[in-house]
Amino acid sequence: MPSRAPSVVRASCGVVVGVCLVPMDAVTLLAAAVAAPFARASARTAAWRDGRVRAAVRVHLRRLERWFAWHTDAPDGTGRPLRYLAARLAVGLLSAGILLLLAYGAFAAVLMTASWAFDLRVPALADDDSDPTTGLTVLSAVVPGGILLYLALMGLVGSAALERAAASRLLGEEDRTQLLAQVEALAASRSDIVAAVEAERRRVERDLHDGVQQQVVALGMLLDRGRRATDPVVRDRLLADAADEASRVLASVRDVAWRVHPAALDTRGLRPVLARLAARATPSAELDYRLDGRPGPAVEACVYYVVAEALANVAKHAGATRTTVTVTSADGVVRATVTDDGRGGASPRGGRGLAGLAARAAALGGSLDVASPPGGPTTVTAVLPCA
């Protein structure tokens, strides 16, 4: 259902049309009540009753869409149409009373104002025996009439709000159903996030154990050999090798830290971090960055992980010769796309990396889509809300 509200004039017209439809609602409810005992025993009677109710509801659906900017994507006949017609009848009778008050207030205000203006002019032309308190009497009637007119107008606006509320409650998807669906989606997203975090933790642990730890052991062996060497030439060569190994260890530690969370993302922003990823990718990727400002930290981190994982997959599996990274924003969302001309065949469920990124995007209210037909090209697209 759209979130935009109708104008006051359109909503007021819709209320007036709804008052005109009160007899239809009353007749339909009366027919449904009379047919209810027979509908339990006769399918034909039940179908006739349901047809009458659906026809009346369809009339209101067209009125709601025309005058109240309200519509539902639910199929015809869903929701609680009988309860809606009962609520609509109550709202229609209330609106009819408000319209009567509005008409009376307008009539009183206009009539009393005209009478007051007439009485102000006539004494100047008539005899001096006219009543001088007539103007005050008329004024004392105009003020309550104006107040009554204002209250009736506010009641008309309230009737329009009741129309939309009744339709949303009884014809749209039920609030409880929506809440249950949101709870289920959040529970599934949470479990996916936990699994993704655990997989990432194991990957970092494996990188530290198989990579950094082995390099540190080799560094220690070089230093120990250099400490025990008696030949100055051999000692200098071993110390030089140890210095090179220390540089490689530092680079490996930085790579692992970047995979966990790049510090430059907080200090420098998303664009330079993505530029570095694109430059270090295999093959080098072309970056098309078109964000005016900085999105939120969570969105920046998610975009970074999506691009990093997609580029890593291109280097490992795609056999591509060209890769393009595009980051844009439109309609309140950030869209990050990584496209390569590789062999294709990738799937968001084919590995823990993309599955974890899909869970991360879902936790932010976004989505991750992978289009990778056999033979390519492969396109990984993340759509994330800007807020």
Side-chain angles (χ1 to χ4, degrees):
M1 288 170 286
S3 58
R4 65 184 181 92
S7 65
V8 175
V9 176
R10 287 173 60 88
S12 301
C13 293
V15 171
V16 174
V17 174
V19 171
C20 298
L21 294 177
V22 165
M24 180 194 71
D25 297 336
V27 171
T28 303
L29 288 173
L30 179 62
V34 172
F38 305 98
R40 298 188 182 94
S42 173
R44 187 173 181 178
T45 303
W48 175 84
R49 180 198 62 185
D50 294 341
R52 289 291 302 269
V53 171
R54 284 196 297 270
V57 169
R58 280 195 294 270
V59 173
H60 284 293
L61 287 176
R62 289 193 291 270
R63 179 179 65 92
L64 289 167
E65 186 171 1
R66 173 67 178 83
W67 299 106
F68 294 96
W70 186 98
H71 75 274
T72 178
D73 295 329
D76 183 28
T78 58
R80 290 167 285 182
L82 270 176
R83 292 188 181 183
Y84 169 74
L85 288 181
R88 242 300 308 162
L89 180 61
V91 173
L93 293 175
L94 177 62
S95 301
I98 292 173
L99 288 177
L100 289 177
L101 288 177
L102 179 63
Y104 174 77
F107 173 77
V110 172
L111 182 63
M112 293 302 180
T113 302
S115 176
W116 184 26
F118 178 78
D119 288 336
L120 288 177
R121 290 196 306 268
V122 169
L125 303 176
D127 297 334
D128 294 337
D129 58 353
S130 60
D131 188 1
T133 63
T134 303
L136 295 177
T137 304
V138 174
L139 181 62
S140 64
V142 169
V143 174
I147 295 175
L148 183 62
L149 180 62
Y150 172 77
L151 294 177
L153 288 173
M154 292 301 100
L156 198 62
V157 175
S159 296
L162 286 177
E163 290 275 7
R164 289 172 60 92
S168 300
R169 181 74 176 176
L170 299 173
L171 293 181
E173 192 176 4
E174 296 185 31
D175 294 342
R176 182 176 177 82
T177 304
Q178 292 180 348
L179 290 176
L180 289 176
Q182 291 177 359
V183 169
E184 291 177 358
L186 289 175
S189 176
R190 184 179 64 178
S191 62
D192 292 340
I193 283 291
V194 170
V197 169
E198 179 64 19
E200 187 64 24
R201 184 192 66 81
R202 291 184 179 181
R203 184 166 70 171
V204 171
E205 182 181 6
R206 185 172 60 252
D207 291 342
L208 292 175
H209 181 273
D210 298 340
V212 177
Q213 179 176 314
Q214 301 302 322
Q215 290 176 322
V216 171
V217 170
L219 175 61
M221 294 176 61
L222 288 172
L223 291 175
D224 185 62
R225 289 174 59 190
R227 182 177 58 85
R228 291 183 299 171
T230 58
D231 187 349
V233 177
V234 175
R235 184 170 59 247
D236 292 342
R237 179 175 56 80
L238 291 173
L239 291 177
D241 293 341
D244 294 338
E245 190 65 27
S247 299
R248 286 191 289 270
V249 170
L250 181 59
S252 298
V253 171
R254 286 176 176 172
D255 288 340
V256 173
W258 266 71
R259 283 195 293 272
V260 175
H261 185 80
L265 195 61
D266 298 327
T267 58
R268 301 174 59 190
L270 184 60
R271 182 169 192 157
V273 173
L274 294 184
R276 179 179 176 181
L277 280 177
R280 298 176 59 186
T282 305
S284 296
E286 299 177 7
L287 176 62
D288 182 10
Y289 188 93
R290 286 177 282 166
L291 295 185
D292 295 333
R294 291 189 60 176
V299 175
E300 283 189 337
C302 189
V303 171
Y304 163 77
Y305 286 122
V306 168
V307 174
E309 183 67 27
L311 292 179
N313 288 339
V314 170
K316 292 178 183 177
H317 311 296
T321 59
R322 182 182 179 186
T323 308
T324 303
V325 178
T326 304
V327 182
T328 60
S329 63
D331 299 328
V333 298
V334 173
R335 185 181 301 272
T337 305
V338 180
T339 305
D340 67 81
D341 59 354
R343 62 177 62 94
S347 171
R349 301 182 181 275
R352 292 182 177 179
L354 289 177
L357 292 176
R360 183 187 291 271
L364 295 178
S367 62
L368 180 74
D369 180 67
V370 179
S372 182
T378 297
T379 302
V380 179
T381 304
V383 179
L384 305 169
C386 290

